[in-house]
């Protein structure tokens, strides 16, 4: 049997007053997800381990069954792997957003969804003026980039910018992590202290604001009525992780693929031993090319045993607090991804198991991630269905899988029949 996980990032939500206190999954038209939930079995999954921030890196690694306390090294190293930066011993990687600051506040975490082409000019400019033997900037995708600090100490307190829209940025600058006495850094990794590392990063943030303020890219964006990309915001530091390949745990996965517009997810796929498939038109937003992503997933299923299809659009809509847009992304996931994949594989001679789930909620009301368990369903030809007939947060509470945690979901999904 082949396996595909279709993950709608941030798709889960809270009840919305304007929708009659329904969640978006309850209110959206999702005939295929409801059909497959009714034909399959449903449950909930705790994707954020105790003591962890509800970031996409945490949640997606949990979906794949990784033991977070053992392997988690932050988002930076995962994104480094995705963009081809091979971290050496002693190098600390951080996700480095380019953000928009208005006055003293973080206006948004994405510089108004700056394009990769514009951002590449700015990142190279920052490298030219702020880079050194110790500090390197690398271009990623859109607003998501990479900062590598040689000898940096990861025991620092950093705030993800998407958690704090419209908040003053100065109180959120990097600080040494309190109570680091019991947190060790591998020998030879850091020659800076946590305080020195925090001071270095904060200096880079402030200097970036001066450099970017009047850059031609931002003058052009301002003339077009767009948000300026006027500050960096590094966060989620770590060193090269020690993750086992998916094939080590599941020998039936001789070949697997990951499809995503997000460097973080591709980095997880890299360490999981999945080949990255680049899809033309994949943007990570509501305008992503669903059809090309589905075509790539179906092509991969013909040769591979496992496909991880990640679609970011719902998460970005949640961060914007845009209920109608998030509803559209959910309905697009259903009609333009889940439906076509099911219709294509349902008659294949070799059966295909399909799981659909978000990684975490991104409530429009809150505009950031939360750590509540998420709904999921598993369907494959011949599965004995349970009583649940719709796919949403409330219905999933009655699912026969109950509440799963750690690697229980992936073990159930991948079990030999």
């Amino acid at each position: 049997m082949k396996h595909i996980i279709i993950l709608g990032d941030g798709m889960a939500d809270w009840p919305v007053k304007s929708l009659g206190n329904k969640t978006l999954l309850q209110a959206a038209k999702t005939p295929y997800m409801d059909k497959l939930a009714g034909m399959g079995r449903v449950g909930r999954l705790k994707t954020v381990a105790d003591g962890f921030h509800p970031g996409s890196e945490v949640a997606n690694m949990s979906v794949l069954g990784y033991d977070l306390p053992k392997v988690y090294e932050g988002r930076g190293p995962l994104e480094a792997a995705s963009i081809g930066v091979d971290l050496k011993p002693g190098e600390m990687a951080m996700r480095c957003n380019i953000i928009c600051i208005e006055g003293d506040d973080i206006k948004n975490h994405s510089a108004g969804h700056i394009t990769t082409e514009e951002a590449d000019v700015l990142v190279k400019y920052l490298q030219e003026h702020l880079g050194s033997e110790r500090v390197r900037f690398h271009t990623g995708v859109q607003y998501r980039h990479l900062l590598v600090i040689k000898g940096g100490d990861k025991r620092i307190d950093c705030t993800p910018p998407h958690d704090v829209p419209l908040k003053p940025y100065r109180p959120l600058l990097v600080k040494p992590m309190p109570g680091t006495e019991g947190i060790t850094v591998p020998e030879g990794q850091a020659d800076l202290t946590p305080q020195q590392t925090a001071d270095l990063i904060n200096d880079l943030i402030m200097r970036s604001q001066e450099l970017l303020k009047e850059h031609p890219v931002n003058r052009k964006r301002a003339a077009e009525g767009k948000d300026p990309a006027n500050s960096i915001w590094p966060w989620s530091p770590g060193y090269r992780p020690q993750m086992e390949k998916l094939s080590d745990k599941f020998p039936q996965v001789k070949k697997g693929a990951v499809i995503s517009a997000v460097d973080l997810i591709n980095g997880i796929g890299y360490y999981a031993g999945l080949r990255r498939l680049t899809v033309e038109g994949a943007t990570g937003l509501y305008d992503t090319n669903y059809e090309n992503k589905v075509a790539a997933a179906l092509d991969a299923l013909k040769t591979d045993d496992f496909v991880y299809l990640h679609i970011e659009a719902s998460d970005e809509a949640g961060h914007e607090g845009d209920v109608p847009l998030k509803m559209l992304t959910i309905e697009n996931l259903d009609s333009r991804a889940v439906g076509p994949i099911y219709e294509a594989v349902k008659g294949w001679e070799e059966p295909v198991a399909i799981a659909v789930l978000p990684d975490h909620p991104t409530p429009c009301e809150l505009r950031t991630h939360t750590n509540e368990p998420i709904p999921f369903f598993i369907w494959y030809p011949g599965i004995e269905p349970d009583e649940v007939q719709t796919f949403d947060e409330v219905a999933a509470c009655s699912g026969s899988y109950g509440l799963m945690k750690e690697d229980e979901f992936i073990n159930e999904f991948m079990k030999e029949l």
Side-chain angles (χ1 to χ4, degrees), residues 45-360:
L45 175 62
K46 178 181 177 179
T47 58
V48 181
D50 291 341
F52 282 83
H53 183 83
S56 290
E57 74 281 18
V58 167
N60 280 273
M61 289 172 72
S62 291
V63 169
L64 289 170
Y66 285 103
D67 184 341
L68 270 296
K70 286 186 177 179
V71 303
Y72 180 72
E73 275 291 345
R75 184 178 293 226
L78 299 171
E79 304 203 6
S82 175
I83 64 177
V85 176
D86 186 24
L87 292 178
K88 303 295 191 296
E91 292 185 336
M92 182 186 80
M94 302 182 73
R95 162 74 166 273
C96 186
N97 282 44
I98 294 184
I99 68 172
C100 177
I101 295 220
E102 190 169 72
D104 285 330
D105 296 342
I106 294 176
K107 184 177 182 184
N108 58 60
H109 68 287
S110 63
H113 291 296
I114 189 169
T115 66
T116 301
E117 292 72 23
E118 291 172 305
D120 182 49
V121 174
L122 298 180
V123 172
K124 287 175 177 172
Y125 182 70
L126 292 169
Q127 174 61 26
E128 179 184 353
H129 291 274
L130 300 180
S132 65
E133 186 178 339
R134 187 179 288 279
V135 172
R136 298 200 317 275
F137 293 90
H138 298 271
T139 302
V141 176
Q142 297 168 345
Y143 61 87
R144 313 172 187 95
H145 307 284
L146 186 73
L147 171 63
V148 177
I149 299 177
K150 187 176 181 180
D153 193 311
K154 72 173 184 177
R155 295 173 296 183
I156 49 177
D157 183 7
C158 307
T159 301
H162 54 259
D163 282 358
V164 285
L166 309 180
K167 298 287 179 65
Y169 77 88
R170 291 180 189 276
L172 303 170
L173 290 168
V174 182
K175 305 172 186 65
M177 189 181 294
T180 57
E181 295 80 8
I183 304 173
T184 59
V185 172
E187 186 177 349
Q189 289 285 21
D191 60 22
L192 298 176
T193 66
Q195 182 66 63
Q196 290 170 330
T197 304
D199 290 344
L200 171 60
I201 295 166
N202 291 334
D203 180 62
L204 292 171
I205 291 172
M206 303 310 295
R207 290 168 65 194
S208 78
Q209 293 178 15
E210 288 300 314
L211 285 166
L212 296 175
K213 184 165 49 177
E214 295 299 328
H215 191 281
V217 166
N218 279 326
R219 288 204 301 269
K220 183 173 184 290
R221 288 180 65 80
E224 295 170 348
K226 297 176 181 177
D227 288 335
N230 56 11
S231 182
I232 62 167
W233 197 266
W235 56 287
S236 200
Y239 312 118
R240 185 185 179 100
Q242 302 299 316
M243 292 167 55
E244 68 175 345
K245 293 181 178 179
L246 207 61
S247 58
D248 292 336
K249 184 168 185 176
F250 302 107
Q252 67 268 41
V253 181
K254 298 177 181 63
K255 189 178 181 184
V258 59
I259 303 168
S260 177
V262 178
D263 281 334
L264 158 68
I265 306 302
N266 289 314
I268 293 172
Y270 172 85
Y271 285 114
L274 306 177
R275 63 192 180 103
R276 174 183 180 176
L277 300 182
T278 302
V279 175
E280 184 177 354
T283 65
L285 300 172
Y286 72 94
D287 61 354
T288 197
N289 194 317
Y290 290 85
E291 289 70 28
N292 281 2
K293 294 185 89 166
V294 166
L298 291 172
D299 281 346
L301 280 173
K302 293 173 184 175
T303 58
D304 293 22
D305 310 294
F306 178 90
V307 173
Y308 197 78
L309 174 59
H310 172 271
I311 297 176
E312 173 77 0
S314 294
D315 187 57
E316 294 294 339
H319 285 307
E320 293 178 16
D322 191 329
V323 171
L325 180 60
K326 186 169 180 181
M327 183 94 75
L328 174 65
T329 66
I330 291 171
E331 293 179 347
N332 279 340
L333 184 81
D334 185 81
S335 64
R336 299 171 67 184
V338 176
I341 288 171
Y342 164 70
E343 292 292 352
V345 305
K346 66 181 182 181
W348 283 12
E349 184 175 344
E350 182 172 4
V352 177
I354 299 173
V356 175
L357 70 167
D359 51 349
H360 52 66

Side-chain angles (χ1 to χ4, degrees), residues 32-42 377 386 388 390-391:
Y32 274 106
M33 287 192 277
D34 291 343
K35 176 178 180 176
L36 288 170
M39 294 167 54
R41 297 178 64 190
V42 180
F377 69 74
D386 57 21
V388 178
T390 59
F391 181 60

